[in-house]
Amino acid sequence: MSRILIVKLGALGNVILSLGPFAAIRRHHAADHVSLLTTRPWADWLAQSPYFDEVLVDDRPEWWDLPGWWRLRQNLIAGRFDRVYDLQTSARSSRYFHLLPRHARPEWSGIALGCSHPDRDPDRNRRHDIDRQFAQLRAAGVTETLPADLSWTDADLARFALPDRFALLVPGSSAHRGIKRWPASRYAELAGALLTRGIAPVILGAGEEEGALARTMRDAMPHAIDLTNRTGLPELASLARAAGFAVGNDTGPMHLIAAAGCRSVVLFSRDSDPALTAPRGRSVTVLRRPDLAELDLATVLDALPRHAAPPVKLPTLVAPPAPAAPPTPAALSTPAALPDG
């Protein structure tokens, strides 16, 4: 039995784009011991997946943290790995190859100078992240191309008391890249348009800043359901499977939502290239503007799944003037007689 290591250190979106490659490596090495080296936020979640026998945590030591680098080196040596698939293919992850003693270096698939299975594709940096990873794996003898599969992760949504018809809105993104965000005021307008169609808008996000975005939307549209800071990754996967569709910025949760099979409309600015990093799933529509402030509501509404487009007259669901206490999510439950269209 060989000992295999996969290196994937990226943010959530990068991790989701590696689910198919994870599955391909697992199938290729079905009789081997497969470990993953990843960062702490995703370690416990990925340990529940069927792809790995062991998940190791990389605390990503700073360049000046010599004890941290020493610990990382010792852990890599102690793993006695026969082959490493570096799916991060960054300067940092390539450095890990050179941390190992020359006499003890395993077979290595990646871009590290001197590795045994280098990815020499001249177009690698012009390929979508998923396609680039599978091309790298083919060069190392892993020939199957498998789709992302999140069927192994789920959660009970009963505590949220959601209505039968709802859509997911993801108004956040990287805190230091505000240009990637469609304005919260536009999301509030979208929430209002969904309510007139009998579809409850559910706001997702994590952290103080995204909680503030949700509050801005709720101030304008009190009937929107705010689940910011109330969902982990299993809950996101289950919400994606239950929702009619999702609209969100180019951010990690949208990658997970799309990979779980939810119809998704993903908004891109000039700050990232969908040809390289767009989410993939059953049905993904990408809308791109250099500045997302230029993207109008009508264009987003036109991109929604056809069953959500025709307006339905539901006066009781149109947001009234803000009440003293916002109604509970259960108050938005769709009447049994509501038509699908």
Side-chain angles (χ1 to χ4, degrees), residues 2 16 62-63 75 77 82 88 99 109 126 166 204 209 219-220 229-230 315-316 318:
S2 297
I16 299 301
E62 299 288 348
W63 65 267
N75 288 338
I77 293 173
D82 299 291
Q88 191 65 27
L99 281 178
S109 167
R126 292 186 289 272
F166 65 90
L204 300 176
E209 187 174 3
D219 287 345
N229 296 311
R230 298 179 62 191
T316 59
V318 177

Side-chain angles (χ1 to χ4, degrees), residues 322-337:
T328 63
L332 288 171
S333 297
T334 304

Side-chain angles (χ1 to χ4, degrees), residues 22-339:
F22 290 163
I25 293 170
R26 173 78 274 180
R27 184 172 294 185
H28 185 77
H29 291 281
D32 297 327
H33 185 279
V34 179
S35 300
L36 172 71
L37 179 66
T38 190
T39 49
R40 196 169 297 278
W42 327 123
D44 288 344
W45 181 61
L46 289 171
Q48 301 168 27
S49 77
Y51 308 130
F52 315 111
D53 300 294
E54 177 185 28
V55 174
L56 308 173
V57 174
D58 179 3
D59 287 320
R60 296 174 61 92
E62 299 288 348
W63 65 267
W64 43 261
D65 182 8
L66 297 183
W69 282 99
W70 176 259
R71 287 191 298 272
L72 176 60
R73 180 178 187 270
Q74 293 305 106
N75 288 338
L76 291 173
I77 293 173
R80 305 189 318 279
F81 299 112
D82 299 291
R83 175 175 282 202
V84 175
Y85 295 96
D86 176 11
L87 298 185
Q88 191 65 27
T89 55
S90 64
R92 168 181 280 272
S93 60
S94 295
R95 194 175 300 129
Y96 295 178
F97 172 73
H98 297 286
L99 281 178
L100 296 166
R102 286 183 178 273
H103 69 275
R105 285 176 184 169
E107 294 181 349
W108 190 285
S109 167
I111 61 171
L113 183 64
C115 70
S116 62
H117 293 74
D119 181 5
R120 293 196 175 99
D121 181 358
D123 293 323
R124 69 182 311 276
N125 292 326
R126 292 186 289 272
R127 294 185 186 275
H128 188 280
D129 194 6
I130 293 176
D131 301 328
R132 177 185 55 75
Q133 291 181 76
F134 278 120
Q136 174 188 336
L137 293 181
R138 284 193 296 273
V142 180
T143 57
E144 271 196 283
T145 299
L146 298 177
D149 178 12
L150 284 167
S151 62
W152 51 270
T153 184
D154 62 8
D156 184 1
L157 303 180
R159 63 191 173 96
F160 298 138
L162 295 172
D164 292 336
R165 295 182 68 193
F166 65 90
L168 306 177
L169 305 183
V170 185
S173 65
S174 302
H176 61 287
R177 300 171 73 182
I179 195 173
K180 296 179 68 174
R181 294 179 176 178
W182 199 37
S185 59
R186 295 284 173 82
Y187 274 106
E189 293 172 3
L190 174 59
L194 296 181
L195 284 164
T196 66
R197 289 154 169 78
I199 301 170
V202 175
I203 309 169
L204 300 176
E208 182 177 346
E209 187 174 3
E210 294 188 9
L213 287 174
R215 288 192 294 274
T216 297
M217 294 171 61
R218 285 290 305 275
D219 287 345
M221 190 55 55
H223 284 345
I225 300 170
D226 183 2
L227 295 187
T228 53
N229 296 311
R230 298 179 62 191
T231 58
L233 301 182
E235 286 81 6
L236 286 181
S238 291
L239 285 166
R241 287 190 281 265
F245 56 90
V247 179
N249 303 325
D250 171 29
T251 186
M254 284 303 297
H255 282 270
L256 189 154
I257 288 166
C262 184
R263 294 181 177 89
S264 301
V265 178
V266 190
L267 314 180
F268 275 76
S269 72
R270 63 175 177 269
D271 206 42
S272 50
D273 186 352
L276 303 179
T277 62
R280 286 189 176 173
R282 181 180 66 178
S283 176
V284 176
T285 299
V286 170
L287 299 178
R288 193 184 191 196
R289 297 290 185 276
D291 184 343
L292 280 177
E294 301 169 358
L295 179 63
D296 61 275
L297 176 63
T299 300
V300 175
L301 290 174
D302 286 344
L304 298 182
R306 186 165 32 178
H307 75 273
V312 177
K313 292 184 178 181
L314 290 174
T316 59
L317 290 180
V318 177
T328 63
L332 288 171
S333 297
T334 304
L338 182 69

